[in-house]
Amino acid sequence: MIHIVGKDILTDDQRKKLIEDVQPLFVSGDQFDPNPDSFFPGKQTFPTLHLHPDFQWVFDIFKDRIRKKLGFDLKVMGAWINWTNGNKKDICWHDHHHFDYASVYYIKTPLPFFSNGTLFRDGLVKSPQNSFLLFPGHLEHTAPSSPFRFGRYTMSIDWDNK
């Protein structure tokens, strides 16, 4: 089951700070791993943000929201921030089958009415900017494409039951 865990998760200032603080940590796909089979679109950080003390406050907020809304007590196994611009050639179907759950936090999305959410094999699950989506790790998904080239920032998190 796919859960929208919450909306208006962070303040505007917190979201801006998150984007600003992560800029030096971004790498492109070929910097991350030169193996063409490990392609990812746009830019992303290494999947270790949950170990970085400057970002711990974000994970505390997410864990609290999940516990209050769903009653789940989950452990963060990996976390990273992605930047994409909706280019159709960057569609990258994948899953997180090694983990109980995966999630997407929509830090900054381009337009309030277009391509906000995550594309699953069964269709687009809309989720507005500053919301948080949690779903089983085995579900295949990708960032949706868009005819506009606006930057989109999302945070991806892998979770396991404690």
Side-chain angles (χ1 to χ4, degrees):
M1 174 173 258
I2 299 170
H3 305 277
I4 295 179
V5 176
K7 298 178 182 175
D8 299 324
I9 304 289
L10 303 180
T11 67
D12 286 343
D13 287 341
Q14 288 172 321
R15 287 187 308 108
K16 288 174 187 172
K17 179 170 178 30
L18 189 56
I19 291 170
E20 181 181 321
D21 290 352
V22 79
Q23 293 303 313
L25 303 177
F26 276 125
V27 294
S28 64
D30 57 348
Q31 289 174 302
F32 187 78
D33 185 345
N35 178 349
D37 294 334
S38 65
F39 165 80
F40 63 80
K43 301 181 291 185
Q44 74 180 38
T45 68
F46 286 97
T48 54
L49 277 187
H50 64 298
L51 303 175
H52 197 297
D54 291 347
F55 298 101
Q56 194 58 54
W57 61 274
V58 177
F59 302 106
D60 291 342
I61 291 170
F62 294 155
K63 286 180 199 176
D64 186 57
R65 285 288 181 112
I66 291 169
R67 195 176 302 112
K68 284 180 179 172
K69 173 106 181 188
L70 303 173
F72 298 166
D73 193 16
L74 302 178
K75 179 180 180 183
V76 177
M77 303 304 291
W80 59 100
I81 292 181
N82 304 290
W83 174 89
T84 57
N85 69 0
N87 196 330
K88 191 167 187 152
K89 75 174 183 60
D90 289 340
I91 291 289
C92 182
W93 289 102
H94 65 284
D95 63 41
H96 301 252
H97 66 274
H98 295 325
F99 302 100
D100 295 326
Y101 295 95
S103 65
V104 180
Y105 169 62
Y106 304 91
I107 304 168
K108 181 181 178 191
T109 54
L111 301 170
F113 57 86
F114 195 82
S115 297
N116 288 350
T118 296
L119 184 59
F120 291 89
R121 290 291 184 179
D122 291 338
L124 180 70
V125 173
K126 292 186 177 188
S127 197
Q129 178 172 282
N130 200 16
S131 67
F132 184 77
L133 192 69
L134 181 76
F135 52 92
H138 70 274
L139 293 180
E140 266 194 308
H141 60 283
T142 187
S145 64
S146 165
F148 308 106
R149 295 293 162 260
F150 296 113
R152 166 184 148 123
Y153 288 90
T154 57
M155 178 182 276
S156 298
I157 308 169
D158 290 326
W159 304 87
D160 273 342
N161 290 305
K162 283 191 175 180

